[in-house]
Each structure stands twice: as structure tokens, then as C-alpha cells.
Amino acid sequence: MRNPVSIKHHMSAKQVGAIKHALWMAGCATIALTAAPALAQESEGSAPQASTDEGGNVIIVTARRREERLTDVPLSITAVSGEQLERSGTLEITEIAQEVPNLTLEVSRGTNTTLTAFIRGVGQQDPVAGFEAGVGLYVDDVYLNRPQAAVLDVYDVERIEVLRGPQGTLYGRNTIGGAIKYVTARLPDTPEFKVRGTYGSYDQADLVVSAAVPVSDSLRIGASGARLSRGGFGDNLNLGTENYNKDVWAARGTVELESGPLFVRLSGDYIKDNSEARQGGRLIDSLFTGAPVLDDPYDTRAGLNIVDQEVEAYGGSLSISYEVNDTITLKSITGYREDSSTSPIDFDSLPAADLDVPAIYENDQFSQELQLLYEGDRLSGVIGAYYLDANAFTAFDVALFTTGALISLPGLNAQTLGDVETETWSIFGDFTYDLTDKLSLSLGGRYTNDKRSSRVLRTTFIGGFSDLFVPDSPAIPIAVTSDFNGSETFKEFTPRASIAFKPNDDNNIYFTYSRGFKGGGFDPRGQTSAAPDLDGDGDIDFDDQFEFLRFAPETVDSFELGWKASLAGGRVNVSLAGFLSQYDDVQIPGSVGVDSNGDGINDSFIGITSNAASADVNGFEFEGNALVAEDFAGDGSRFGINWSLGVLDAKFNTFIDAFGNDVADQRVFQNTPDITGHMGFNLGLPIATGMVDILGSASLRSDASQFEVPNPFLDQDGFVLADASIVYTDDSDRFSIGAHIKNIFDKRYIVAGYNFVAGGTGGAPLASTLGLEGTLTGFYGDPRRVFVTGEIRF
């Protein structure tokens, strides 16, 4: 069930402007495509090269669970190397969304380290246990089952791969939009000690220390430690603390054994985030007390402080690979992860507890994957099996103290406990057969058995916060509104098929069909006492409650036609793809205010999630890089450009609201700009005994809505972010120093928010739908930051 308030969405002048920006970027890329071959004529006659980045480095990826040239993979994928990330001053994983088409990565509302991810319009922004991700995140091939502690800092990274479109065959459940692979660097063969430091605006001070040493010819060990800190972009004017600051400790350790056909890698990592709570800024004056909107969007008046913002996460993985012979390799990937966090989320961002939500998240998971890889003359591929055993626990109070005081229920508090067990197993296979030297056929499939068991307990208290958050609390339970314990097993088959035509080694024209699914479950905010008589037997029983809370998996069937090429002797690399996606049984989670006693004031809320929609998501993507010139200002000088353009046409075909009406024409896709674009350059000049790299980039995102119902206060107009860097690296690669500026023009842009307000359009007055003050708060992306980095290797 959804809030029926809606606003029709039309193309604005800003969207037209965004299209013009996108066409300008595409024009620049076209110029590069025509200019670079002419500049490359001097290399005529040289051997064909593999697909490369703008620096001439060969791009190898493992999107199909085996090492391949980027050009040879028949799907849309962007790979960013660790060297590129360091050179551009990239500090955390969310920043790569600026250069990857049709990708949204943001820090989730009210958190510092929870990740919100969308690819091609498909994702999930609600982090509560019971809702599944739409984009899979993998660290060294280990799937992270929950989004908490998933805003990964970038250090000791070999590359990051972004796979767009459903990856249900090779990566399984919850990769319905795509997958992101965070691949850490292998240990070097020689002893190495590395120190990297960063200092910048807002008192940013980062230090990363890494060391690796070979113990013998076959055994290597390494470790890294990181201290990442930054002052707040704003302040909590009520509590006197910083807002949007960073206070993180992290460590990673690795042991590698390589002996003949055997390779073993054992790694572990630890993260402790003690940053202050990240609170939003109000977008409207408060409706009850009249508190005005603050001048600085990074400031807040939030008053909730009964728990600290704390995140602790750790995990480990064991990867074993054994080459049986020249054609067969056996591989095992074992992973374990655990995280716990507390978060004081002040929805209304005011001193009083009008809508305050202290929350606890606790997650753990164990996974095991077995693979058999085959590499023959004409046939190559993988078969495997996967198992996941995971638990996700969420507990939160919803303090409605101002409402409670008004209706003679002092300290009104609606508490929710959710405990979700997931047990998943699957078998899969994916093979490619070369029909001829130029034509190949790929077929794959995965069968998944996905069991979800949920416990949902909702209790109404008076007298304040519960003893989960306040020891010896005087709060008294007055009603249990949900007491649910149920489970269901969802079974899905996700096939993939593609045909590829390679007229030569440097061109690949492919057509691919793929299917993905996001797991079903039970609404973790569901209220069993609100369940209707769904089976019509005159009695509201467990069966009715089960169906009321249950939601089914959602699926995407995607058809993609693409062309990849490495042209002009490897100087120009392009990837062009058009896709049509059928998005069915779309899960629409949400919360609505509830008047439990009929006095006209919403004194509680319930979550209602249903498979209420179907949609078409169509579009195209164009990305590439070009080495435009080299050796023009001395040996080793170079000038390269890179670009990306993504265009989406995402529309709901059906969308059933709370009253059974189809309101598809009044709903839009959340967190999904119609246009994303990026244009960058890298000028390398030999100076003294090293190389100076001068980098610049501009990224475009057109208008985007935070939720399916557009909101003129919360939704973000199109904008452009510009970055620049200058980095000096000595010829021995032992020393580098760089200066970086992010968000050069200091653009303010909303990345997340909360909305419990109706009206505000067409002359209708604003009205709160939960609490008295009217919760309409926004969270913003980073302001302009300037920092310097230095690295020394021994």
C-alpha cells in the first residue's frame, strides 16, 4: 500500500539541458574516435593489442569467473584499476559512480557506511533486515549479504569491476541490476613497505601503511592498516557535535601460498567506524513548532543521542585454486563476515523526539562456493555450487513523544524487532563454444533454492525508549501489534545465452539474454494486527497474516545488443550497448502512518511491501577511452581521454496503489537519472626524473527522484560535478605526490532523504503523515574538498 499523493512527471528544461550536456560529451568522444586513428598511423603494421585503458595497460577482468580480455566479454562491464583510482584521488567506492554509466552509489540516509546501490534503475535503498539488495557487492569473490559497512574505502585495490544487467547465472540471487566486484591486490614477489598519507580540507588526515614480504619462494605474507579521519562538513547545533565527519580504523591481512599448480590465499579484514551520527537537514519549516530551515544544509538540530553511531565489521576468506592439468582448474572460495552497528536516526532533525529512531543492526554470514573451470581449444566455461547461511537482525524504536503527549500517551514508542534467517544453495554452469574461429555461442543457467525465515515482533510502549537502548527503562508495553514467525522457500532458474561474432581479435559484436531475481521475504515492518481477511473465510488467522506480510521475488529479463572494439592498435577502446529489460513483480517497500485509535492523529506506522508493479527499463550505454597522442613533449608524454554515457527510459507499466488503482503514470523510478555522463582526460608529461599526470573530469546526472512518488522538495535536479588532480610519480615508482580537488564548483546535491509529509503541490498545504513536525529531511553529497596525497615505497 502506498501514499496516494502523486505528481505527474514531465521532462523539464533542466532535463533538456542535461541531454545537451550528454550530446556534448558524446560529440567529444566521437572526435576522439576520428582523431585517434589518424594519430596512430605511425603504429601501422604492429601486432593487434588487447583492450587497454588510456594509459596503454591491458584490461583483464573476471566477470565470467575466468580471466578474459575486457573486449571478449559479451556483457556491459566497466573496470577501473587501482592505479587509476589512486591517481584520481578516489577515496571510497561510491565515487566510481561518477564515471560508470547508469550507476548510482550513495551513502544510505542516516548512516556513514551503509551502501545504497542501483544499476539500470534496479536496486534497494532500505537497509532493514528482510529487504534484499538489487545489486550484488563482492569482495574477492565473496558476496556481502547486507549493505551495512559496505561503503568500502579504497586502498590496496587491484581493480573494481561493475557488471551491468542481470547476473543471475554466475552470481546468483540479488544481482538483478548487476554486480560490483572489489578485487584486492595480490602480494608482490619482493619485499615491499608502503606508506600513503592524505591531508586536506575539513581537517582530513588519512594514513595507510602496507607491508609485504616473501617468507620463501612459495609463501608470502602482507598486512595493511588505515586510519581515516575528517572533520564534519557541518555541525549538530543542538548537541555540539560534528555532522558528516569521518573517524575510521581499518586493517587487512593476507597470506598467499603458491606452489606449482596450487594457489592458496587467506585474507581477513577489520573496520571500526566511530564517526558521529550523520543527520539530515530539514527541507521545510517544522509544522508544529515553526523551526526554520537552517542556512547550511550540512548542519542539523537533531537531538537523538541515546546511542552512539558505531559500526564494527570483520571477515575473512579462503580461496584455493588447483590446476589439475592444462584444461581443468578446481577452485574453492570460503567466506565469513560479521558486522554490528548502532545508529541514532533522527528523522525530523529537531531537538524534540517527534520522529526519532535509534536502531541496531547485527549481521553474520558464512558462504562456500566450489567451481570447476574448463579451458579447451573450443570449449571453455565453469560449473559450480554455492551455499550461503546468513542471519540479519534489526531492532529499532520509533519515538513519537510529541504525538504521545498530545493524545495523553506520554513517551509513545512503536518498537520493531526483525530477525531474518537466510539459507540459500544453488548449482550453476556457464560455457562458451567456438562454433567457428569468429562465431561463438554461450549458454548458462543457475538453479537457486532460497529459504527465508522471518521473525517480526512489534510492540507499542509508553514511558520512553525501550530497555534495548536505555538500561532499566521505565517504558511499559501496552500492545503487541505484530507477532509473526514464518518461512518460505523461493525457487528460481536464471538462464543466460549469448552469441558473439568476432570478425577479428579486436572487435566483438554480441547479443545476450540474461535473467536475474531478487529474493522474496516478509515485510520487517509489517503489522499483523492490520492484516485483512485475504482468503475471505470470515476469520483473520495466520494464513491471512502470512500473505499480508509476504512478498515474492522480483525478476528482470534483459536483452542486450553490444559492440566492443579495440581500435587503432589498442589506442582506442569502445563499448556500445543497447538493452531492453522486462522488470516484473517489482517489490515496492514503504511505511505509512497509522491512526490506531481513531482520533485523527497518526500515532504509529506500518510497513507494507507488495509486488505492486511491472516495468520496462530500456536504454543504451557508450563508454571508452582513447590515447590521443604520445611522445609529443618528450619520451613517455601522452594525452588520453575517457568517457561514458548512459541513457535510460524506465517506465512503470502497472503500479497498483493502496486503493487498488493503477497509478503507473504517476510513479517514477527512484534513484535513477535518465542520463548519466562522464568526460575525463589525462595529460602525462615527463618532468625531472618522473612523470606528471594532470587529470580532469566532469560527470553529469540528470533529474532524479528519491522515491516513486515525486517530491519537489526532496528530488534532485540535474547537476554536474567537476574534479581535477595533478600527480607526480618518479621513474622508479617509489615516490609520488599529488594534489586533488573534488566538486570544484561546490555543488550542493541531495543523495537521500526521508518524507512523511503530504501536500505541498497544487496549492495544497503541507501536512504531516507521522509525527507533528512534518518529516521532510535531506542528506547531501560531499561539498568541495581539496587534499594532497603522498606515497613512499621501500
Tab-separated table of all heavy atoms in Angstrom, residues 68-111:
chain	number	residue	atom	x	y	z
A	68	GLU	N	39.652	-12.902	-18.678
A	68	GLU	CA	39.420	-12.630	-20.095
A	68	GLU	C	39.743	-11.170	-20.377
A	68	GLU	O	39.675	-10.320	-19.500
A	68	GLU	CB	37.944	-12.872	-20.463
A	68	GLU	CG	37.451	-14.285	-20.253
A	68	GLU	CD	35.961	-14.399	-20.538
A	68	GLU	OE1	35.159	-13.993	-19.683
A	68	GLU	OE2	35.608	-14.880	-21.617
A	69	ARG	N	40.071	-10.899	-21.634
A	69	ARG	CA	40.175	-9.510	-22.049
A	69	ARG	C	38.793	-8.856	-21.949
A	69	ARG	O	37.779	-9.492	-22.214
A	69	ARG	CB	40.661	-9.396	-23.488
A	69	ARG	CG	42.012	-9.976	-23.787
A	69	ARG	CD	42.446	-9.623	-25.199
A	69	ARG	NE	41.384	-9.792	-26.197
A	69	ARG	CZ	41.428	-9.279	-27.421
A	69	ARG	NH1	42.472	-8.573	-27.796
A	69	ARG	NH2	40.449	-9.480	-28.273
A	70	LEU	N	38.770	-7.604	-21.608
A	70	LEU	CA	37.508	-6.886	-21.489
A	70	LEU	C	36.713	-6.949	-22.795
A	70	LEU	O	35.485	-7.102	-22.793
A	70	LEU	CB	37.789	-5.425	-21.103
A	70	LEU	CG	36.584	-4.520	-20.875
A	70	LEU	CD1	35.748	-5.023	-19.713
A	70	LEU	CD2	37.027	-3.094	-20.614
A	71	THR	N	37.413	-6.851	-23.923
A	71	THR	CA	36.741	-6.870	-25.221
A	71	THR	C	36.024	-8.189	-25.483
A	71	THR	O	35.012	-8.225	-26.184
A	71	THR	CB	37.769	-6.612	-26.348
A	71	THR	OG1	38.390	-5.346	-26.139
A	71	THR	CG2	37.105	-6.610	-27.713
A	72	ASP	N	36.508	-9.286	-24.916
A	72	ASP	CA	35.960	-10.603	-25.226
A	72	ASP	C	34.713	-10.955	-24.426
A	72	ASP	O	34.073	-11.968	-24.714
A	72	ASP	CB	37.026	-11.678	-24.966
A	72	ASP	CG	38.222	-11.539	-25.899
A	72	ASP	OD1	38.045	-10.999	-27.005
A	72	ASP	OD2	39.337	-11.961	-25.514
A	73	VAL	N	34.358	-10.151	-23.430
A	73	VAL	CA	33.243	-10.490	-22.539
A	73	VAL	C	31.941	-9.947	-23.129
A	73	VAL	O	31.800	-8.730	-23.319
A	73	VAL	CB	33.469	-9.915	-21.133
A	73	VAL	CG1	32.331	-10.327	-20.205
A	73	VAL	CG2	34.803	-10.390	-20.578
A	74	PRO	N	30.946	-10.812	-23.410
A	74	PRO	CA	29.705	-10.363	-24.050
A	74	PRO	C	28.680	-9.797	-23.072
A	74	PRO	O	27.532	-10.249	-23.001
A	74	PRO	CB	29.200	-11.644	-24.720
A	74	PRO	CG	29.655	-12.735	-23.803
A	74	PRO	CD	30.986	-12.288	-23.277
A	75	LEU	N	29.097	-8.811	-22.303
A	75	LEU	CA	28.177	-8.093	-21.425
A	75	LEU	C	28.781	-6.729	-21.106
A	75	LEU	O	29.969	-6.490	-21.341
A	75	LEU	CB	27.889	-8.884	-20.143
A	75	LEU	CG	29.054	-9.290	-19.232
A	75	LEU	CD1	29.363	-8.208	-18.213
A	75	LEU	CD2	28.710	-10.587	-18.510
A	76	SER	N	27.974	-5.850	-20.551
A	76	SER	CA	28.417	-4.488	-20.248
A	76	SER	C	29.173	-4.486	-18.933
A	76	SER	O	28.625	-4.850	-17.889
A	76	SER	CB	27.211	-3.546	-20.164
A	76	SER	OG	26.602	-3.401	-21.421
A	77	ILE	N	30.425	-4.060	-18.982
A	77	ILE	CA	31.262	-4.073	-17.797
A	77	ILE	C	32.246	-2.921	-17.861
A	77	ILE	O	32.786	-2.597	-18.920
A	77	ILE	CB	32.005	-5.428	-17.671
A	77	ILE	CG1	32.979	-5.404	-16.499
A	77	ILE	CG2	32.710	-5.787	-18.958
A	77	ILE	CD1	33.628	-6.746	-16.229
A	78	THR	N	32.428	-2.260	-16.723
A	78	THR	CA	33.445	-1.228	-16.570
A	78	THR	C	34.459	-1.712	-15.544
A	78	THR	O	34.075	-2.202	-14.480
A	78	THR	CB	32.823	0.096	-16.095
A	78	THR	OG1	31.862	0.537	-17.052
A	78	THR	CG2	33.886	1.174	-15.941
A	79	ALA	N	35.737	-1.571	-15.868
A	79	ALA	CA	36.801	-1.970	-14.953
A	79	ALA	C	37.687	-0.755	-14.689
A	79	ALA	O	38.143	-0.092	-15.628
A	79	ALA	CB	37.624	-3.110	-15.530
A	80	VAL	N	37.899	-0.456	-13.408
A	80	VAL	CA	38.745	0.667	-13.005
A	80	VAL	C	39.903	0.100	-12.192
A	80	VAL	O	39.685	-0.572	-11.180
A	80	VAL	CB	37.964	1.694	-12.172
A	80	VAL	CG1	38.823	2.930	-11.896
A	80	VAL	CG2	36.673	2.102	-12.878
A	81	SER	N	41.130	0.351	-12.636
A	81	SER	CA	42.290	-0.227	-11.968
A	81	SER	C	42.628	0.533	-10.697
A	81	SER	O	42.264	1.701	-10.523
A	81	SER	CB	43.503	-0.214	-12.902
A	81	SER	OG	43.967	1.113	-13.111
A	82	GLY	N	43.355	-0.145	-9.803
A	82	GLY	CA	43.802	0.510	-8.583
A	82	GLY	C	44.687	1.704	-8.863
A	82	GLY	O	44.631	2.714	-8.154
A	83	GLU	N	45.510	1.597	-9.908
A	83	GLU	CA	46.369	2.713	-10.285
A	83	GLU	C	45.546	3.928	-10.684
A	83	GLU	O	45.844	5.064	-10.293
A	83	GLU	CB	47.286	2.297	-11.434
A	83	GLU	CG	48.233	3.386	-11.896
A	83	GLU	CD	49.066	2.969	-13.086
A	83	GLU	OE1	49.010	1.779	-13.479
A	83	GLU	OE2	49.779	3.831	-13.640
A	84	GLN	N	44.479	3.704	-11.466
A	84	GLN	CA	43.598	4.807	-11.861
A	84	GLN	C	42.926	5.425	-10.640
A	84	GLN	O	42.792	6.650	-10.545
A	84	GLN	CB	42.538	4.303	-12.839
A	84	GLN	CG	43.061	3.931	-14.199
A	84	GLN	CD	41.975	3.280	-15.046
A	84	GLN	OE1	41.515	2.174	-14.762
A	84	GLN	NE2	41.550	3.970	-16.081
A	85	LEU	N	42.485	4.587	-9.702
A	85	LEU	CA	41.806	5.089	-8.514
A	85	LEU	C	42.745	5.949	-7.672
A	85	LEU	O	42.356	7.019	-7.184
A	85	LEU	CB	41.280	3.912	-7.683
A	85	LEU	CG	40.174	3.075	-8.333
A	85	LEU	CD1	39.962	1.779	-7.565
A	85	LEU	CD2	38.872	3.858	-8.417
A	86	GLU	N	43.989	5.503	-7.491
A	86	GLU	CA	44.948	6.287	-6.711
A	86	GLU	C	45.287	7.596	-7.403
A	86	GLU	O	45.367	8.651	-6.772
A	86	GLU	CB	46.223	5.461	-6.492
A	86	GLU	CG	46.095	4.380	-5.436
A	86	GLU	CD	47.440	3.802	-5.051
A	86	GLU	OE1	48.473	4.302	-5.561
A	86	GLU	OE2	47.472	2.854	-4.246
A	87	ARG	N	45.481	7.532	-8.705
A	87	ARG	CA	45.896	8.724	-9.450
A	87	ARG	C	44.823	9.810	-9.413
A	87	ARG	O	45.128	11.001	-9.401
A	87	ARG	CB	46.222	8.332	-10.889
A	87	ARG	CG	47.117	9.311	-11.626
A	87	ARG	CD	47.657	8.674	-12.892
A	87	ARG	NE	46.613	8.060	-13.689
A	87	ARG	CZ	46.816	7.057	-14.541
A	87	ARG	NH1	48.015	6.540	-14.662
A	87	ARG	NH2	45.819	6.572	-15.255
A	88	SER	N	43.554	9.410	-9.398
A	88	SER	CA	42.465	10.388	-9.390
A	88	SER	C	42.043	10.798	-7.986
A	88	SER	O	41.142	11.611	-7.823
A	88	SER	CB	41.253	9.823	-10.136
A	88	SER	OG	40.763	8.664	-9.477
A	89	GLY	N	42.681	10.215	-6.951
A	89	GLY	CA	42.341	10.575	-5.583
A	89	GLY	C	41.023	9.999	-5.114
A	89	GLY	O	40.367	10.577	-4.242
A	90	THR	N	40.627	8.855	-5.646
A	90	THR	CA	39.387	8.202	-5.230
A	90	THR	C	39.581	7.583	-3.847
A	90	THR	O	40.494	6.791	-3.634
A	90	THR	CB	38.991	7.109	-6.229
A	90	THR	OG1	38.798	7.709	-7.517
A	90	THR	CG2	37.713	6.409	-5.798
A	91	LEU	N	38.703	7.942	-2.907
A	91	LEU	CA	38.876	7.532	-1.516
A	91	LEU	C	37.897	6.456	-1.075
A	91	LEU	O	38.191	5.694	-0.157
A	91	LEU	CB	38.749	8.745	-0.590
A	91	LEU	CG	39.765	9.877	-0.834
A	91	LEU	CD1	39.490	11.038	0.115
A	91	LEU	CD2	41.188	9.375	-0.670
A	92	GLU	N	36.705	6.395	-1.700
A	92	GLU	CA	35.757	5.347	-1.323
A	92	GLU	C	34.959	4.918	-2.531
A	92	GLU	O	34.900	5.617	-3.559
A	92	GLU	CB	34.842	5.784	-0.182
A	92	GLU	CG	33.980	6.973	-0.474
A	92	GLU	CD	33.134	7.386	0.721
A	92	GLU	OE1	33.617	7.285	1.872
A	92	GLU	OE2	31.986	7.805	0.508
A	93	ILE	N	34.322	3.765	-2.410
A	93	ILE	CA	33.741	3.092	-3.564
A	93	ILE	C	32.609	3.888	-4.222
A	93	ILE	O	32.381	3.775	-5.425
A	93	ILE	CB	33.257	1.677	-3.161
A	93	ILE	CG1	32.986	0.821	-4.399
A	93	ILE	CG2	32.045	1.745	-2.247
A	93	ILE	CD1	32.724	-0.637	-4.089
A	94	THR	N	31.899	4.723	-3.464
A	94	THR	CA	30.778	5.463	-4.042
A	94	THR	C	31.219	6.410	-5.152
A	94	THR	O	30.428	6.748	-6.041
A	94	THR	CB	30.045	6.272	-2.959
A	94	THR	OG1	30.985	7.128	-2.295
A	94	THR	CG2	29.390	5.352	-1.939
A	95	GLU	N	32.477	6.830	-5.149
A	95	GLU	CA	32.941	7.819	-6.128
A	95	GLU	C	33.010	7.269	-7.545
A	95	GLU	O	32.991	8.039	-8.510
A	95	GLU	CB	34.309	8.360	-5.713
A	95	GLU	CG	34.307	9.119	-4.392
A	95	GLU	CD	35.692	9.603	-3.997
A	95	GLU	OE1	36.414	10.117	-4.879
A	95	GLU	OE2	36.074	9.437	-2.823
A	96	ILE	N	33.096	5.939	-7.706
A	96	ILE	CA	33.205	5.406	-9.061
A	96	ILE	C	31.919	5.581	-9.852
A	96	ILE	O	31.915	5.472	-11.082
A	96	ILE	CB	33.625	3.928	-9.062
A	96	ILE	CG1	32.517	3.034	-8.479
A	96	ILE	CG2	34.933	3.725	-8.337
A	96	ILE	CD1	32.781	1.563	-8.675
A	97	ALA	N	30.806	5.885	-9.159
A	97	ALA	CA	29.539	6.104	-9.860
A	97	ALA	C	29.601	7.325	-10.758
A	97	ALA	O	28.777	7.469	-11.667
A	97	ALA	CB	28.392	6.256	-8.854
A	98	GLN	N	30.565	8.214	-10.537
A	98	GLN	CA	30.682	9.394	-11.381
A	98	GLN	C	31.158	9.049	-12.790
A	98	GLN	O	30.953	9.843	-13.713
A	98	GLN	CB	31.649	10.403	-10.746
A	98	GLN	CG	31.130	11.027	-9.477
A	98	GLN	CD	32.097	12.040	-8.884
A	98	GLN	OE1	32.241	12.149	-7.662
A	98	GLN	NE2	32.774	12.781	-9.733
A	99	GLU	N	31.789	7.896	-12.989
A	99	GLU	CA	32.328	7.584	-14.305
A	99	GLU	C	31.742	6.330	-14.934
A	99	GLU	O	32.135	5.962	-16.038
A	99	GLU	CB	33.849	7.452	-14.236
A	99	GLU	CG	34.373	6.450	-13.243
A	99	GLU	CD	35.894	6.488	-13.147
A	99	GLU	OE1	36.563	5.992	-14.072
A	99	GLU	OE2	36.402	7.030	-12.147
A	100	VAL	N	30.815	5.656	-14.263
A	100	VAL	CA	30.206	4.442	-14.800
A	100	VAL	C	28.774	4.760	-15.222
A	100	VAL	O	27.994	5.293	-14.429
A	100	VAL	CB	30.219	3.313	-13.754
A	100	VAL	CG1	29.544	2.062	-14.316
A	100	VAL	CG2	31.650	2.997	-13.335
A	101	PRO	N	28.367	4.445	-16.441
A	101	PRO	CA	27.025	4.793	-16.895
A	101	PRO	C	25.934	4.029	-16.155
A	101	PRO	O	26.093	2.851	-15.819
A	101	PRO	CB	27.047	4.426	-18.387
A	101	PRO	CG	28.130	3.401	-18.512
A	101	PRO	CD	29.160	3.777	-17.491
A	102	ASN	N	24.840	4.725	-15.890
A	102	ASN	CA	23.632	4.145	-15.293
A	102	ASN	C	23.899	3.457	-13.962
A	102	ASN	O	23.292	2.438	-13.629
A	102	ASN	CB	22.977	3.146	-16.268
A	102	ASN	CG	22.452	3.829	-17.517
A	102	ASN	OD1	21.981	4.966	-17.465
A	102	ASN	ND2	22.537	3.161	-18.650
A	103	LEU	N	24.799	4.046	-13.171
A	103	LEU	CA	25.131	3.514	-11.849
A	103	LEU	C	24.900	4.589	-10.798
A	103	LEU	O	25.322	5.737	-10.971
A	103	LEU	CB	26.595	3.062	-11.807
A	103	LEU	CG	27.163	2.664	-10.428
A	103	LEU	CD1	26.475	1.411	-9.898
A	103	LEU	CD2	28.671	2.466	-10.500
A	104	THR	N	24.234	4.217	-9.702
A	104	THR	CA	24.058	5.081	-8.533
A	104	THR	C	24.627	4.367	-7.318
A	104	THR	O	24.220	3.251	-7.002
A	104	THR	CB	22.570	5.405	-8.290
A	104	THR	OG1	22.059	6.154	-9.391
A	104	THR	CG2	22.395	6.229	-7.018
A	105	LEU	N	25.588	5.004	-6.663
A	105	LEU	CA	26.138	4.517	-5.401
A	105	LEU	C	26.141	5.679	-4.420
A	105	LEU	O	26.770	6.706	-4.689
A	105	LEU	CB	27.572	3.997	-5.581
A	105	LEU	CG	27.783	2.747	-6.433
A	105	LEU	CD1	29.268	2.436	-6.546
A	105	LEU	CD2	27.048	1.555	-5.841
A	106	GLU	N	25.442	5.523	-3.304
A	106	GLU	CA	25.354	6.592	-2.318
A	106	GLU	C	25.442	6.006	-0.912
A	106	GLU	O	25.119	4.837	-0.687
A	106	GLU	CB	24.033	7.366	-2.450
A	106	GLU	CG	23.775	7.981	-3.819
A	106	GLU	CD	24.706	9.141	-4.156
A	106	GLU	OE1	25.553	9.488	-3.324
A	106	GLU	OE2	24.577	9.696	-5.253
A	107	VAL	N	25.870	6.848	0.015
A	107	VAL	CA	25.786	6.500	1.425
A	107	VAL	C	24.314	6.584	1.838
A	107	VAL	O	23.657	7.600	1.607
A	107	VAL	CB	26.646	7.449	2.285
A	107	VAL	CG1	26.514	7.089	3.757
A	107	VAL	CG2	28.101	7.400	1.842
A	108	SER	N	23.801	5.532	2.421
A	108	SER	CA	22.381	5.492	2.772
A	108	SER	C	22.035	6.561	3.800
A	108	SER	O	22.861	6.950	4.630
A	108	SER	CB	22.011	4.110	3.325
A	108	SER	OG	22.198	3.110	2.358
A	109	ARG	N	20.815	7.008	3.754
A	109	ARG	CA	20.310	8.056	4.650
A	109	ARG	C	20.530	7.658	6.110
A	109	ARG	O	20.294	6.524	6.514
A	109	ARG	CB	18.827	8.289	4.369
A	109	ARG	CG	18.010	7.019	4.478
A	109	ARG	CD	16.675	7.099	3.784
A	109	ARG	NE	15.951	5.832	3.948
A	109	ARG	CZ	14.834	5.542	3.309
A	109	ARG	NH1	14.314	6.402	2.464
A	109	ARG	NH2	14.214	4.396	3.509
A	110	GLY	N	20.983	8.619	6.900
A	110	GLY	CA	21.139	8.406	8.327
A	110	GLY	C	22.276	7.494	8.719
A	110	GLY	O	22.328	7.029	9.858
A	111	THR	N	23.215	7.201	7.791
A	111	THR	CA	24.333	6.309	8.107
A	111	THR	C	25.628	6.899	7.558
A	111	THR	O	25.629	7.855	6.782
A	111	THR	CB	24.141	4.903	7.506
A	111	THR	OG1	24.406	4.950	6.095
A	111	THR	CG2	22.730	4.392	7.732
